Amino acid sequence: AMFSPLDPDKLSEHGALAKEALFSFGGEFLARGGLLPLNGTIGYPKTAVIAFPSYEAALGWYWSPAYQAIIGLRNEAMDSQFL
């Protein structure tokens, strides 16, 4: 995910809730923080790289009721793009 924070308090709340759902699908954070482009330009100042044991697990996490319930909070917390 690449993102621009909009509300630090909501971003923190979203992060805690998303992490709970993420771990239940075997997800783990590989990297989080600012971006430094080696070539070209980027549209977001922050990134989070998440790994899952399978493509199906990643989709299961994103479409889970637990994650879907916090998408409104995510949209208030950040402008984002998930890849």
Side-chain angles (χ1 to χ4, degrees):
M2 296 182 294
F3 63 97
S4 297
L6 300 175
D7 183 315
D9 293 332
K10 289 181 180 181
L11 186 61
S12 180
E13 182 182 357
H14 171 268
L17 294 169
K19 188 170 27 172
E20 287 179 26
L22 180 119
F23 291 158
S24 70
F25 283 86
E28 64 176 314
F29 286 102
L30 299 181
R32 289 184 278 188
L35 293 172
L36 176 63
L38 299 177
N39 184 44
T41 59
I42 54 174
Y44 296 90
K46 302 283 185 180
T47 190
V49 178
I50 303 168
F52 288 91
S54 68
Y55 179 71
E56 292 76 19
L59 290 179
W61 164 72
Y62 188 83
W63 294 111
S64 70
Y67 191 71
Q68 290 297 301
I70 62 170
I71 286 182
L73 176 62
R74 180 194 73 198
N75 293 341
E76 293 174 5
M78 68 179 94
D79 176 32
S80 62
Q81 181 177 21
F82 282 49
L83 306 171

